[in-house]
Amino acid sequence: MNKLLIKDIVLINEGIRTASDIYIEGEFIKKIGVNIKSDNDVKIIDGKGHIAIPGMIDDQVHFRQPGLTHKGDIRSESKAAIAGGVTSYFEMPNTFPNTTSIKEFENKIKIASDNSFANFSFMLGGTNDNINEIKRIDEKQVAGIKLFLGSSTGKMLIDDKISIENIFKSTSLPISAHCEDEQTIKDNTEHYKRLYGEDIPISAHPEIRNEDACYKSSNFAVNLAKKTGARLNVFHISTAIELDLFDSKVDLNDKKITSEVCAHHLWFTDDDYNRLGSKIKWNPAIKSKDDRDALWQAINDNKIDIIASDHAPHTIEEKNNKYLNCPSGGPMVQHTILSLLQNCEKYGVSIEKIVEKIAHNPAIIFKVNKRGFLREGYYADIVLIDSNTPTLVTQESLLYKCGWSPFEGQKFDNSIHKTILNGNVVYENGKVNAIPYGKKITFNR
Ligand code: DOR
């Protein structure tokens, strides 16, 4: 059996920072404590000078398989995930065919079982006419329901109010909603077409997919969740104004409505469109500096419950198209943790708080079985961070199939030293282990 002892590491977990050892047997953490003694058959990892945190549970990634594998696939993108300290992911249904049936869900589980380097689950997409599939879901197996209340990559818009309400009433799974009001986006797009024809500048993106579009749709989803009692998680909040919709005082275990922010909305602002152009075209759009700063504040205030990557690769050729034909989204999963660590101190957010939002809270909200915390008896999904060795993002260091990153040229102060997944060291010395060790995630529901 695999036996590992991490000695003398600073553990950041459940709001506490302690110097400790972590002993791993097989897939699980067997013991956490000081001066743990070991037998000869135990492999020792010297943790001095490093920090150990639970691996990120990234509840929002697009790995593009099946159907869009020229952009990325489960193998390539999950490798990038573990190089970035993401040990578990929930993948989105806007693949091709869309994951809107149990059959397609099971197909993805099969692909991931053979290929995934990180632990995996998938969301089932809600449509105007798949309520019967949603009612058939085994809630222990499926991460959640994803609703595109605004259109984005993959033509998965759900816009029939009765169908949406039926889904809200028919499931106790977390409903993860992409909130942008379609009519507002359409009207704003027409306005900009009248001004610029087909040559709309990328800087118009946050004015087309503006805060009104975000607020209107988030407000609709929140009100519907209140009316129906559904368990709602609003994905990728990008504006200050939407934060008013969420409660900060309620304990997470009692919240029925939660919210999420993505690493790119915490890093970039509309000042960056000049420099990076369509590389930072996302839905929802990157907004102003004030919005970005309010999102950081909301992490501390607990108005935001989860931080995710929304890793969404497209090829550089696709991204180089003119505004109207340029897909939204960008690859993020390899640098999400490093980008959060880079800025958290500046915004008065502790690493403890970051760990809560990237690991503990997704585990609590989605009821993930034995992951998201460094606890005895839990899976050994652990990230060792080296604060003394910086990371320079170069094209050669990227593991994404699309081969580019909006962070190219960026130097982060920290590096991912090792990633341990289900008790195996799967990433060290800048290299991913050759075997895909990812397991299917199950849920305590
Ligand atoms: O920017 C985005 N890209 N937002 C989404 O909602 C979808 C994603 C994608 O799949 O490309």
Side-chain angles (χ1 to χ4, degrees), residues 357-407:
K357 307 294 176 185
I358 63 173
H360 305 333
N361 286 3
I364 293 168
I365 290 172
F366 289 90
K367 298 191 165 67
V368 174
N369 195 17
K370 290 190 182 158
R371 302 188 190 278
F373 297 86
L374 300 182
R375 286 182 184 160
E376 291 173 5
Y378 272 52
Y379 285 100
D381 292 346
I382 308 172
V383 181
L384 308 193
I385 292 162
D386 180 351
S387 309
N388 298 312
T389 307
T391 302
L392 176 65
V393 182
T394 59
Q395 203 181 27
E396 302 74 59
S397 65
L398 300 173
L399 297 177
Y400 310 134
K401 202 179 212 181
C402 68
W404 67 274
S405 160
F407 286 129

Side-chain angles (χ1 to χ4, degrees), residues 155-313:
K155 296 197 173 66
M156 285 197 64
L157 179 68
I158 168 164
D159 56 358
D160 176 49
K161 292 232 159 73
I162 294 171
S163 304
I164 298 169
E165 185 160 339
N166 274 341
I167 293 174
F168 272 58
K169 283 179 179 159
S170 302
T171 182
S172 52
L173 282 173
I175 296 172
S176 295
H178 177 129
C179 291
E180 289 184 287
D181 181 63
E182 196 58 16
Q183 195 54 51
T184 308
I185 298 167
K186 272 194 183 140
D187 294 346
N188 291 340
T189 306
E190 286 313 309
H191 172 74
Y192 275 89
K193 272 189 185 166
R194 283 194 294 276
L195 288 179
Y196 293 101
E198 295 298 301
D199 282 327
I200 298 174
I202 181 71
S203 55
H205 192 50
E207 289 158 29
I208 291 175
R209 289 183 176 253
N210 62 8
E211 66 172 18
D212 291 347
C214 295
Y215 185 84
K216 204 169 172 190
S217 179
S218 293
N219 188 37
F220 163 76
V222 166
N223 283 331
L224 190 58
K226 284 183 182 160
K227 178 177 155 192
T228 56
R231 181 68 192 79
L232 173 71
N233 183 47
V234 181
F235 266 177
H236 40 46
I237 297 292
S238 63
T239 67
I241 186 175
E242 288 168 283
L243 295 168
D244 292 343
L245 297 168
F246 303 100
D247 237 317
S248 57
K249 307 257 169 345
V250 184
D251 183 86
L252 183 62
N253 289 296
D254 298 325
K255 278 189 188 181
K256 291 211 83 174
I257 299 170
T258 47
S259 74
E260 174 164 326
V261 66
C262 291
H264 44 279
H265 292 119
L266 293 169
W267 183 279
F268 299 106
T269 71
D270 51 10
D271 286 343
D272 294 312
Y273 285 112
N274 265 345
R275 185 170 60 92
L276 290 164
S278 61
K279 282 187 174 166
I280 59 161
K281 184 185 187 217
W282 268 284
N283 299 337
I286 300 292
K287 309 274 188 331
S288 69
K289 182 175 174 306
D290 287 350
D291 290 306
R292 194 249 329 250
D293 295 354
L295 296 172
W296 273 104
Q297 180 64 40
I299 290 173
N300 258 351
D301 294 348
N302 293 331
K303 287 206 163 202
I304 294 280
D305 302 292
I306 294 182
I307 308 174
S309 74
D310 193 8
H311 175 77

Side-chain angles (χ1 to χ4, degrees), residues 62 64 94 148 152-153 178 236 282-283 310 312 314 328-329:
H62 304 262
R64 309 302 193 200
N94 59 341
F148 282 91
S152 198
T153 307
H178 177 129
H236 40 46
W282 268 284
N283 299 337
D310 193 8
H314 298 282
S328 294

Side-chain angles (χ1 to χ4, degrees), residues 299-334:
I299 290 173
N300 258 351
D301 294 348
N302 293 331
K303 287 206 163 202
I304 294 280
D305 302 292
I306 294 182
I307 308 174
S309 74
D310 193 8
H311 175 77
H314 298 282
T315 66
I316 201 67
E317 292 76 22
E318 291 165 334
K319 290 296 271 183
N320 282 339
N321 283 329
K322 283 186 178 170
Y323 177 76
L324 288 167
N325 293 319
C326 165
S328 294
M332 287 294 288
V333 80
Q334 202 174 333

